Amino acid sequence: MRSFTDARGADTEDELWLCEHPPVFTQGVAGRPEHLHDAGGIPVVQTNRGGQVTYHGPGQVVAYPLVDLRRLGIFVKEYVFRLEQAVIKALEGYGVTGHRVAGAPGIYVNLDDPGGHAALPSPRDPRDPWKGIGKIAALGIKVTRHCSYHGVALNVAMDLSPYARIDPCGYAGLASIDLSTIGVTTTWDDAAGALGDQLGSYLGP
């Protein structure tokens, strides 16, 4: 991604990479070591994306949009909104309602009613701010010379146990879930296609 972005010019076409990683923890540039409790033999990779620690592994669709934001005519805030909206629309196709949480990039699900349309409880309980909420998609990006890389990860059908070794995205007590946890059965290929189609729609010319 970095090599592609460093080498691209004004006329380089945008690309979307969809992949599935072997087990790995990644730390963002602001990553604090106390949020990684015990790697347990899983590699830890330092990255130059934003955000804190997260986990990637089999059963997760990782999407890397390599997009020229200036050519698209948008700024970073709008770009993040479109990434999240693409995930929300992909989830909608499975009957799942995705939610945003202010100040916490990514997409979340109401665990008590994954398909319901009611807003997440607000204000959140300060004693347990993540009660009843599960994170189903993580987001971490890097933009250099108006061009984006890194991206978004959608949990489909994973071994979720490595998330217990970290504070996901820096949030202690936040549950990480996948589609299978909330009763959705699908394949990696189908989920990758659904997310890819939505990203193409929201980031296309």
Side-chain angles (χ1 to χ4, degrees):
M1 290 184 294
R2 296 178 70 171
S3 297
F4 175 89
T5 302
D6 289 344
R8 69 181 301 170
D11 297 325
T12 303
E13 291 188 2
D14 295 338
E15 295 189 4
L16 173 62
W17 298 357
L18 298 168
C19 61
E20 184 179 28
H21 288 303
V24 61
F25 294 115
T26 65
Q27 277 276 28
V29 290
R32 291 161 53 184
E34 61 265 32
H35 292 307
L36 176 60
H37 306 302
D38 176 12
I42 297 174
V44 181
V45 175
Q46 303 296 320
T47 75
N48 66 343
R49 62 164 172 79
Q52 297 281 334
V53 65
T54 193
Y55 171 72
H56 297 305
Q60 179 189 67
V61 177
V62 184
Y64 296 129
L66 309 176
V67 177
D68 186 330
L69 302 185
R70 179 162 51 189
R71 188 166 59 206
L72 196 57
I74 62 174
F75 295 101
V76 173
K77 186 175 181 180
E78 173 69 15
Y79 176 62
V80 169
F81 177 86
R82 293 190 188 193
L83 290 182
E84 292 178 335
Q85 195 63 23
V87 175
I88 288 171
K89 296 301 289 186
L91 291 173
E92 188 178 288
Y94 293 107
V96 175
T97 302
H99 299 267
R100 293 179 174 88
V101 172
I107 296 300
Y108 302 80
V109 171
N110 184 339
L111 297 179
D112 291 332
D113 189 9
H117 298 290
L120 294 178
S122 182
R124 289 181 283 161
D125 185 342
R127 297 165 300 179
D128 187 5
W130 300 107
K131 182 179 181 180
I133 300 172
K135 188 165 191 175
I136 198 166
L139 189 150
I141 65 169
K142 174 71 174 178
V143 176
T144 181
R145 295 183 297 111
H146 308 285
C147 294
S148 71
Y149 58 107
H150 294 291
V152 62
L154 173 63
N155 300 344
V156 181
M158 306 176 67
D159 172 9
L160 296 170
S161 62
Y163 283 106
R165 299 177 177 273
I166 63 174
D167 297 330
C169 302
Y171 296 110
L174 172 60
S176 293
I177 63 166
D178 58 13
L179 285 171
S180 66
T181 303
I182 53 177
V184 176
T185 301
T186 188
T187 65
W188 187 95
D189 287 343
D190 186 83
L195 180 58
D197 287 346
Q198 292 298 335
L199 287 167
S201 175
Y202 280 97
L203 300 176

